[in-house]
């Protein structure tokens, strides 16, 4: 079977044949049907996140279970599944309190199986799998706990997006910030995650949804997804623009879908006293942000982070799938490009130009 391997940062992915060992106890093999092209993969390609290589990247995907190892109870052959990029041991403190995104029940490296061994080899060398899944591959063997079955009528490219950008963006609004009807919201960054923050805010009933980005085409996408106002951050000051649109106060909620040093400061400055600023996009490991803590005290502002939209994949993938099938969230408009597997490097090139809302590889 073929997989896209990163051998060295800042070099193209190599789509090559690899040897795959079948599922061991607690594992499953999935035929991948679609996989999204996400900035988190790009962070590894460009060296922002230094992880051991060679590695098969990809973490936003859906497919069909082909076979399972001993002791697997949550999925069976024929199931349509979405990959979760976080484990869920079911036994640790965080799993027990319903915050499985923070699961710390496994001590082995996050790029191998739970027993620490690898299922992929090429030329005798172990190949790692991003987030224990590595979905830029025709077939994936992974821990079965990373898989969540979903409704079979969901189209594959749409189902794939349920693995990262949709839950991260919508969950940031509904699960982390718990935005209430009538609230005012600003989101910075209108890529795959930011657009889902916008539609999460619309789903929650926010009355004012301000979207900011450097690119005019992305602001156009944001308006399609429910933004009531847009700010081009290239030509306008975001904090000033937000204040003008909110009677000088700032918004009740602000989301940073980029994950940068400047954007972390901007969201904290953009929220009103008593407001909640949330970092959604994942910064590079080296990023530090010069926030002004005094504003947090005088203004009783909250700054928090959310990982994977603070969702519970086993529950929320199904909830989001139902919302999508009822057309209460829009997955179709997110997919501006589809690619064949061997066009994957072109997918990353277009991701970095900002030309697409989301690109999806179809297998
Ligand atoms: Zn992602
Ligand atoms: Zn756990």
């Amino acid at each position: 079977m073929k997989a896209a391997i990163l051998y060295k940062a800042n070099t193209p992915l190599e789509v090559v044949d690899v040897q795959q060992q079948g599922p061991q106890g607690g594992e499953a093999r999935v035929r991948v049907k679609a996989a999204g092209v996400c900035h988190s993969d790009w962070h590894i390609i460009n060296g922002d996140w230094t992880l051991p290589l060679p590695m098969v990247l990809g973490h936003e995907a859906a497919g069909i279970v082909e076979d399972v190892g001993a002791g697997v109870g949550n999925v069976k052959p024929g199931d349509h599944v979405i990959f979760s990029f976080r484990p869920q041991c079911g036994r640790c403190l965080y799993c027990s309190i319903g915050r499985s995104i923070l699961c710390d029940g496994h001590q082995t490296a996050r790029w191998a199986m739970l027993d620490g061994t690898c299922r992929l080899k090429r030329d005798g060398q172990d190949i790692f799998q991003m987030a224990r899944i590595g979905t830029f591959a025709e077939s994936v063997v992974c821990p079965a706990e990373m898989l969540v079955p979903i409704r079979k009528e969901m189209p594959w490219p749409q189902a794939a997006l349920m693995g990262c950008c949709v839950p991260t963006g919508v969950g940031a609004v509904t699960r982390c910030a718990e935005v209430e009807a009538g609230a005012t919201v600003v989101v910075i960054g209108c890529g795959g995650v930011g657009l889902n923050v916008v539609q999460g805010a619309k789903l929650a009933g926010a009355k004012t949804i301000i979207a900011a980005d450097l690119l005019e085409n992305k602001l156009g996408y944001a308006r399609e997804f429910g933004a009531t106002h847009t700010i081009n951050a290239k030509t306008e000051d975001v904090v000033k623009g937000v204040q003008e649109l909110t009677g000088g106060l700032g918004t009740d909620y602000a989301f940073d879908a980029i994950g940068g040093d400047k954007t972390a400061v901007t969201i904290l400055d953009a929220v009103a006293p008593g407001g909640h600023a949330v970092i959604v996009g994942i910064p590079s490991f080296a990023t530090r942000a010069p926030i002004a803590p005094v504003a947090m005290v005088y203004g009783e502002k909250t700054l928090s982070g959310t990982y994977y939209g603070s969702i519970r994949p086993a529950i929320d993938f199904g909830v989001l799938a139902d919302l999508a099938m009822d057309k209460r969230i829009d997955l179709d408009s997110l997919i501006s490009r589809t690619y064949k597997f061997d066009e994957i490097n072109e997918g990353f090139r277009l991701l970095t130009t900002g030309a697409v809302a989301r690109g999806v590889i179809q297998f």
Side-chain angles (χ1 to χ4, degrees), residues 89-90 92 95 103-105:
C89 76
C92 73
C95 283
C103 174
D104 65 357

Side-chain angles (χ1 to χ4, degrees), residues 38 40 59-60 85 164 358:
C38 175
S40 294
H59 61 282
E60 178 180 77
F85 62 77
C164 179
R358 202 59 155 186

Side-chain angles (χ1 to χ4, degrees), residues 10 73 84 119-120 251 271:
N10 296 301
S84 162
R119 297 290 165 268
L120 297 178
T251 50
V271 286

Side-chain angles (χ1 to χ4, degrees), residues 166-211:
V166 175
T168 299
V170 175
V173 176
T174 60
R175 294 271 315 150
C176 173
E178 299 181 328
V179 169
E180 67 276 16
T184 56
V185 171
V186 60
V187 55
I188 300 176
C190 300
V193 169
L195 292 174
N196 278 294
V197 172
V198 169
Q199 69 172 338
K202 186 181 166 196
L203 181 72
K207 75 171 177 201
T208 303
I209 304 171
I210 305 165

Side-chain angles (χ1 to χ4, degrees), residues 43-44 47-52 110-111 259 282-288:
H43 275 303
I44 300 174
D48 275 351
W49 301 349
T50 45
L51 295 180
R110 287 193 53 216
W111 37 85
I282 310 181
S284 72
F285 290 168
T287 299
R288 294 288 180 275

